[in-house]
Amino acid sequence: ARVLLQPIEENARLLFSRQGALVAQHLETMPSDSVEQKTIKKTTNGEGNNTCTEKSSLASTHVKEMEDSYCFLLRAVLYIGLLFASIASNYTSILLRILAGARWGLNAEASATLSAFCVYTAFLAINGTTEAFVYGVARSGKDVGALGVIHALIGGVFATLAPPLVRLRGAVGLVLTNCICMALRSMYSLFYA
């Protein structure tokens, strides 16, 4: 699944960067009379006339395009990740028997760990796409710095959760800790979006 998802994430970052640059370019050329002018809102009357300026309409079109792309890609990687997690996690012992022999195929902990990793792949997919958006549209050092601080805090969460979960669940606990951290990173990226 990562072989399929990683190129999607890399291309998503390029797409969001291009779309974000177009939006920023059109917003910078707009008159800065008021905050309301920079907020892209279309209001139409019964005849369909819109009251936005031409530039804000163009910026609004780019924002809508970026929003549609983001939602589509997020949905696509979510479906791929969940499909992989739900199907592949049920066949890990068979896969281990084929690839590594009966010793590993009959090892319950190895099979459980690989099953947990299949679920972790879904978390990686969501995180990869949401962070591709953040890195693609972040225009200031403050935004990138905030993301770095969040990553450091989540690293602290990982360091705190990993030892007890590994003692409790073994290698599955380590994968579970990674799932929790990926979910936290994704939540921040969704909040940013």
Side-chain angles (χ1 to χ4, degrees):
R2 286 301 297 160
V3 171
L4 176 66
L5 295 171
Q6 188 169 3
I8 292 173
E9 293 166 13
E10 290 171 3
N11 286 311
R13 182 179 297 183
L14 293 172
L15 174 68
F16 296 140
S17 180
R18 182 185 61 84
Q19 290 175 332
L22 287 172
V23 170
Q25 177 186 5
H26 289 290
L27 288 177
E28 286 173 1
T29 61
M30 287 176 55
S32 59
D33 295 341
S34 67
V35 174
E36 288 81 26
Q37 266 187 315
K38 285 195 175 186
T39 304
I40 302 165
K41 292 183 181 178
K42 282 190 176 181
T43 56
T44 58
N45 62 19
E47 298 162 356
N49 296 329
N50 84 42
T51 59
C52 292
T53 65
E54 212 172 288
K55 288 181 181 177
S56 66
S57 177
L58 190 55
S60 177
T61 301
H62 290 307
V63 168
K64 178 69 175 140
E65 181 183 312
M66 186 169 30
E67 180 183 341
D68 290 345
S69 299
Y70 180 66
C71 290
F72 172 77
L73 285 171
L74 192 57
R75 224 176 302 128
V77 298
L78 180 64
Y79 291 154
I80 292 168
L82 289 176
L83 179 69
F84 183 76
S86 62
I87 293 174
S89 61
N90 294 313
Y91 297 102
T92 55
S93 62
I94 295 169
L95 181 65
L96 283 171
R97 272 188 230 143
I98 292 169
L99 296 177
R103 180 176 150 231
W104 287 103
L106 298 174
N107 185 330
E109 185 178 357
S111 182
T113 302
L114 190 56
S115 293
F117 193 80
C118 291
V119 174
Y120 175 59
T121 303
F123 284 93
L124 280 173
I126 295 165
N127 180 63
T129 303
T130 57
E131 283 190 358
F133 180 81
V134 173
Y135 283 116
V137 300
R139 295 283 173 248
S140 70
K142 180 183 171 194
D143 292 339
V144 175
L147 189 60
V149 169
I150 293 298
H151 285 179
L153 291 173
I154 292 172
V157 169
F158 180 85
T160 304
L161 288 178
L165 285 175
V166 168
R167 274 193 301 276
L168 195 65
R169 300 288 313 252
V172 174
L174 185 62
V175 176
L176 178 62
T177 305
N178 277 309
C179 288
I180 292 167
C181 290
M182 284 298 122
L184 291 172
R185 287 172 63 163
S186 296
M187 283 191 278
Y188 174 76
S189 297
L190 287 169
F191 171 77
Y192 180 86

